[in-house]
């Protein structure tokens, strides 16, 4: 242990070797060390040198010496005295005098860390972007005046105008807005300009860059000044992102739009926090402590007394669990029936009568007939579940999954006549043979977007076929007849809307072994339905009796969410309960559970085998006991981290990938 760190140990009176003049006013700084180690997730006292007295203010980044090394940290507060009995080590430097950590964001980050059983420094790493010195020298203009052009898009929504009026009055309405056939970007733009025209700020978190562009375009359509808009997205680069973030911090931009981290934006005079498509997993941070933008928005709305708006074509199960604390804002069922296209299943009784083999066909004849009829009116959207050509192949003789001879990874085909290629290592199997039956021919176990486009191109000669998937996303298509094959989330917007949409691979999407499989599939279907004209048609290739298909036919997202919530309540799964998943080596998980002192009302399930010889245990409790569960898990990880014994145990609160 270094000399500086000895001064932090109770009972030690060792003085620093080099005395420095200490500030006379509030000479003690409370510092949070920027470290992922759970046992260091606490406040340390440091002395404030006299030369840093004016710049070492709460909320700035500082550099300190800890365990013999220079380390970054956050100056949380300053005080006149310290409980530490020895001589304090001094701050080494103030990295920047810019006060970037506001009290509101600090309080929010603490709540997120407590809810997710994580460390505060991990949350702050997402809340405050990395510093860029050049951006701090930017002179930002004063806040622009924003005129509210119109709010007519909200008029047909029950409670829509009341939501805007209550927000402008400084109240805290909480709404779950289901948009049906309407463009959520239009509603958000009108809501944002109404708030900005009153001199207040709004934060809008969206799933991806395409959604950002749609909202920005709608804001331009209502004559919103560009200087009033700040876009916070990781793909903008560190300099541009930090500059836009500073524009929000200094009050130059009132409307904040960005991906998940934007939910922490330091907007002043905040009136509303909005989340578009809160069911989308891109809004969940993939790194510890695995927070979700929706949960952060809910916490921020409650702490800072702001409006909360969860908006999208569907209602998530997690949003439904917030009712009646939040209320639904939507159009009437009669309006939805006239504005949304007709939806039917290709596997219903009428479809089976036309083609008895339809249940075993990936593209039944009813789908082909619907495509042919719709092409006379305009473009047709075809939704598929997988990208690529043949992402999964099996032995043609015994149906065993084809695996790589080098790494045993799954094989795929990239073209009709190409040799199988390993998905993991890229090895080309030019002379593949089955390890089980020694067969040499393969067949498709799953069909991707590229092969679907090829098959439809042969079936409809002369009709353009376009693909849109994760590696090549189309944003828009024109109104001319064409077939657009897209994966979920990559469907382009058609000028004037699609004439029809064919939702393939429905049964396989619904049968995935994930808790969120049904909700995600239904939400992606709803997104496609909203892109089709009112006089168009949607055909879904899935069992007609499935609840998700029935809800899609009825245009009833709220009913679907309520049914899903009831089913999860019966089996004690999130969001009906608060649940934590502990994953690690068996000995480490056992050690972690032994440290926990859980009351009898906590339910422990497992262990069950997980990936790479690991095991997983699920711990669940009533939502009212969620903070107690998180506190115990946080104390457990800190205790195990301090011992430096055993391997790590991954802790996730309400994981998405159950």
């Amino acid at each position: 242990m270094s000399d500086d760190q000895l001064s932090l140990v109770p009972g030690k009176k060792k003085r620093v070797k080099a005395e420095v003049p200490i500030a006379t006013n509030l000479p003690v700084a409370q510092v949070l060390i920027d470290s992922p180690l759970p046992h260091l997730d606490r406040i340390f006292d440091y002395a404030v040198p006299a030369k840093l007295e004016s710049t070492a203010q709460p909320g700035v980044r500082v550099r300190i010496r800890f365990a013999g090394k220079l380390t970054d940290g956050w100056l949380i507060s300053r005080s006149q005295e310290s409980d530490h009995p020895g001589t304090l080590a001094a701050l080494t430097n103030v990295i920047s005098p810019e006060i970037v950590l506001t009290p509101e964001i600090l309080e929010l980050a603490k709540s997120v860390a407590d809810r997710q059983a994580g460390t505060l420094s991990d949350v702050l790493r997402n809340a405050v972007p990395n510093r860029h010195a050049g951006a701090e020298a930017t002179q930002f203009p004063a806040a622009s005046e924003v005129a509210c052009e119109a709010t007519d898009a909200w008029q047909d929504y029950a409670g829509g105008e009341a939501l805007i009026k209550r927000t402008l009055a400084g109240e805290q309405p909480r709404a779950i807005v289901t948009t049906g056939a309407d463009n959520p970007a239009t509603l958000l733009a009108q809501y944002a300009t109404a708030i900005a025209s009153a001199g207040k700020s709004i934060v809008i978190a969206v799933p991806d860059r395409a959604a950002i562009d749609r909202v920005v375009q709608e804001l331009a359509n209502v004559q919103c000044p560009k200087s009033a808009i700040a876009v916070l997205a990781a793909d903008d680069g560190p300099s541009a992102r930090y500059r836009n973030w500073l524009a929000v911090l200094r009050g130059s931009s009132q409307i904040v739009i960005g991906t998940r981290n934007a939910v922490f934006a330091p907007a002043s005079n905040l009136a509303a926090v909005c989340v578009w498509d809160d069911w989308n997993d891109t809004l969940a941070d993939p790194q510890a402590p695995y927070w979700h933008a929706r949960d952060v928005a809910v916490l921020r709305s409650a702490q800072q007394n702001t409006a909360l708006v969860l908006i999208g074509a569907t209602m998530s199960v997690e949003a439904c669990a917030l009712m009646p604390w939040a209320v639904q804002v939507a159009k009437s069922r009669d309006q939805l029936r006239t504005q949304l296209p007709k939806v039917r299943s290709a596997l219903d009784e009428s479809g089976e009568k036309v083609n008895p083999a339809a249940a075993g066909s990936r593209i039944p004849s009813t789908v082909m007939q619907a495509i042919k009829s719709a092409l006379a009116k305009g473009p047709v959207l075809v939704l598929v579940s997988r990208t690529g050509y043949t992402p999964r192949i099996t032995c043609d003789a015994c149906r065993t999954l084809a695996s790589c001879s080098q790494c045993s990874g799954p094989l795929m085909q990239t073209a009709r006549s190409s040799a199988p290629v390993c998905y993991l290592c890229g090895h080309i199997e030019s002379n593949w043979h089955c390890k089980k039956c020694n067969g040499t021919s393969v067949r498709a176990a799953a069909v991707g977007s590229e092969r679907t486009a090829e098959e439809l191109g042969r079936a409809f000669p002369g009709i353009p076929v376009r693909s849109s998937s994760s590696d090549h996303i189309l944003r828009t298509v024109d109104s001319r007849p064409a077939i657009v094959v897209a994966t979920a989330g990559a469907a382009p917007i058609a000028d004037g809307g699609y004439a029809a949409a064919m939702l393939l691979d429905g049964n396989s999407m619904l049968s995935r072994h994930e808790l969120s499989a049904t909700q995600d599939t239904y939400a992606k279907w709803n997104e496609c339905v909203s892109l089709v004209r009112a006089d168009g048609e949607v055909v879904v290739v899935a069992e007609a009796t499935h609840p998700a298909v029935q809800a899609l036919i009825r245009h009833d997202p709220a009913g679907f969410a309520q049914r899903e919530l009831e089913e999860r309540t019966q089996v004690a799964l999130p969001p009906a309960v608060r649940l934590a998943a502990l994953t690690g080596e068996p000995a480490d998980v056992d050690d972690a559970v032994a440290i926990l002192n859980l009351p009898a009302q906590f339910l422990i399930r497992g262990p069950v085998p997980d990936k790479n010889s690991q095991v997983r245990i699920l711990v669940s409790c009533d939502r009212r006991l969620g903070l107690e569960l998180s506190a115990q898990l946080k104390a457990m990880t800190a205790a195990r981290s301090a011992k430096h014994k055993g391997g790590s145990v991954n802790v996730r609160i309400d994981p998405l990938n159950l």
Side-chain angles (χ1 to χ4, degrees):
M1 183 176 293
S2 70
D3 291 340
D4 293 325
Q5 283 311 106
L6 284 172
S7 66
L8 300 177
V9 180
K12 297 291 184 181
K13 302 294 185 180
K14 189 175 181 67
R15 299 177 62 84
V16 292
K17 290 182 178 180
E19 291 289 350
V20 295
I22 302 300
T24 56
N25 183 38
L26 303 177
V28 180
Q30 284 74 45
V31 176
L32 173 72
I33 298 173
D34 186 6
S35 171
L37 298 177
H39 66 283
L40 298 182
D41 186 33
R42 59 190 181 91
I43 301 299
F44 293 87
D45 286 351
Y46 280 81
V48 180
K51 64 178 182 179
L52 301 179
E53 184 171 3
S54 60
T55 57
Q57 299 300 317
V60 301
R61 292 181 171 100
V62 295
R63 184 160 289 134
I64 56 175
R65 187 166 291 278
F66 188 86
K69 298 180 180 180
L70 286 177
T71 306
D72 291 346
W74 297 96
L75 202 161
I76 303 300
S77 60
R78 284 175 59 175
S79 62
Q80 196 66 36
E81 297 179 350
S82 171
D83 294 334
H84 178 62
T87 301
L88 296 176
L91 298 177
T92 301
N93 191 22
V94 173
I95 297 175
S96 169
E98 188 83 40
I99 299 176
V100 292
L101 183 56
T102 63
E104 295 82 7
I105 299 304
L106 175 59
E107 181 186 12
L108 177 62
K110 287 180 178 177
S111 298
V112 173
D114 290 341
R115 184 193 186 280
Q116 298 298 123
T119 63
L120 179 56
S121 60
D122 280 342
V123 179
L124 291 178
R125 211 169 290 123
N126 292 291
V128 182
N130 294 330
R131 176 177 180 259
H132 195 278
E136 290 185 352
T138 304
Q139 296 295 322
F140 294 97
S144 304
E145 291 188 7
V146 179
C148 180
E149 295 291 329
T151 57
D152 57 294
W154 290 90
Q155 291 178 357
D156 292 337
Y157 286 78
E161 293 184 330
L163 170 64
I164 297 174
K165 291 179 180 179
R166 291 186 61 195
T167 303
L168 296 179
E171 300 180 31
Q172 299 84 44
R174 279 95 190 208
I176 305 168
V177 183
T178 48
T179 58
D182 293 339
N183 183 2
T186 303
L187 295 167
L188 286 171
Q190 293 189 3
Y191 186 54
T193 52
I195 291 173
S197 65
K200 301 181 179 181
S201 299
I202 180 174
V203 172
I204 304 172
V206 300
D208 50 33
R209 169 61 71 173
I212 292 177
D213 294 341
R214 290 174 65 182
V215 177
V216 171
Q217 181 59 52
E218 291 297 330
L219 286 169
N221 293 343
V222 295
Q223 310 303 316
C224 180
K226 289 184 178 180
S227 59
I229 306 169
V231 174
L232 303 181
D235 58 1
D236 281 338
S239 176
R241 184 184 176 211
Y242 190 53
R243 185 180 296 108
N244 292 341
W245 189 88
L246 287 175
V248 179
L249 178 67
R250 299 179 186 179
S252 179
S253 301
Q254 308 99 298
I255 301 175
V256 185
I257 309 165
T259 46
R260 57 176 176 263
N261 288 2
V263 77
F264 290 101
S268 58
N269 198 13
L270 184 64
V273 182
C274 307
V275 181
W276 182 357
D277 280 349
D278 68 285
W279 57 269
N280 199 309
D281 58 6
T282 60
L283 291 169
D285 191 77
Q287 298 178 341
Y290 311 106
W291 53 267
H292 194 289
R294 174 193 56 249
D295 300 327
V296 179
V298 171
L299 288 171
R300 189 168 191 179
S301 173
Q303 286 184 357
Q304 301 179 21
N305 296 319
T306 72
L308 172 70
V309 176
L310 305 179
I311 188 171
T314 189
M315 179 189 294
S316 70
V317 182
E318 291 78 10
C320 184
L322 297 174
M323 301 173 71
W325 183 75
V327 299
Q328 184 184 12
V329 174
K331 292 183 177 181
S332 67
R333 295 290 295 278
D334 291 337
Q335 288 176 307
L336 292 177
R337 290 191 184 97
T338 59
Q339 296 175 3
L340 288 170
K342 178 184 176 182
V343 181
R344 64 186 177 93
S345 170
L347 305 183
D348 58 12
E349 292 183 0
S350 60
E352 291 181 353
K353 288 181 180 178
V354 174
N355 181 14
S361 173
R362 181 171 179 264
I363 308 180
S365 58
T366 53
V367 170
M368 303 298 283
Q369 294 168 4
I371 294 176
K372 183 178 181 179
S373 300
L375 284 173
K377 306 174 185 177
V380 175
L381 174 64
V382 179
L383 181 73
V384 298
S385 61
R386 298 172 182 267
T387 187
Y389 188 81
T390 307
R392 199 176 191 184
I393 57 178
T394 62
C395 174
D396 189 32
C398 66
R399 304 296 192 270
T400 300
L401 184 66
S403 59
C404 175
S405 60
Q406 301 293 321
C407 70
S408 298
L411 296 181
M412 62 179 182
Q413 281 185 306
T414 57
R416 169 177 284 272
S417 58
S418 67
V421 180
C422 179
Y423 179 81
L424 296 180
C425 68
H427 175 69
I428 300 176
E429 292 283 356
S430 55
N431 295 310
W432 179 85
H433 65 275
C434 178
K435 296 178 182 179
K436 184 176 181 180
C437 70
N438 214 31
T440 57
S441 58
V442 296
R443 63 178 292 134
V447 176
S449 57
E450 294 179 12
R451 179 164 174 175
T452 303
E454 180 184 283
E455 293 175 354
L456 292 175
R458 292 199 302 267
F460 297 95
I463 299 296
V465 180
R466 308 184 68 182
S467 295
S468 179
S469 57
S470 57
D471 54 349
H472 176 67
I473 297 179
L474 298 175
R475 298 301 184 196
T476 59
V477 294
D478 55 40
S479 58
R480 291 176 294 181
I483 297 174
V484 180
V485 180
T487 53
I493 299 174
D495 184 17
Y498 288 99
M502 308 295 132
L503 311 179
L504 306 184
D505 306 324
N507 288 332
S508 63
M509 294 173 69
L510 291 169
S511 60
R512 288 183 294 119
H513 296 294
E514 296 177 11
L515 177 64
S516 60
T518 303
Q519 172 178 258
D520 289 351
T521 301
Y522 177 73
K524 291 166 183 175
W525 285 348
N526 251 322
E527 186 178 20
C528 294
V529 171
S530 68
L531 301 177
V532 180
R533 307 169 190 168
D535 60 348
E537 181 183 32
V538 176
V539 181
V540 54
V541 184
E543 292 296 334
T545 57
H546 195 284
V549 177
Q550 288 297 309
L552 195 71
I553 293 173
R554 297 194 309 269
H555 304 301
D556 186 18
F560 169 79
Q562 184 61 43
R563 180 188 176 100
E564 278 286 298
L565 180 60
E566 291 173 356
E567 291 181 352
R568 296 192 191 185
T569 302
Q570 294 173 4
V571 292
L573 289 174
V577 298
R578 184 61 51 78
L579 183 143
L582 282 65
T583 308
E585 296 297 327
D588 296 323
V589 173
D590 290 342
D591 178 56
V593 174
I595 296 175
L596 296 174
N597 184 23
L598 299 176
Q601 58 265 44
F602 283 64
L603 175 63
I604 299 179
R605 286 176 281 191
V608 296
D610 202 72
K611 299 177 181 178
N612 301 324
S613 73
Q614 294 184 332
V615 297
R616 184 183 65 192
I617 282 182
L618 302 180
V619 182
S620 58
C621 64
D622 188 276
R623 292 181 63 86
R624 292 170 293 182
L625 300 175
L627 287 180
E628 181 180 348
L629 172 61
S630 297
Q632 289 219 31
L633 291 170
K634 195 170 182 178
M636 177 271 294
T637 55
R640 297 190 75 251
S641 175
K643 291 179 181 178
H644 300 290
K645 292 178 63 178
S648 63
V649 174
N650 182 268
V651 177
R652 296 197 182 200
I653 303 294
D654 295 345
L656 297 177
N657 58 348
L658 274 180

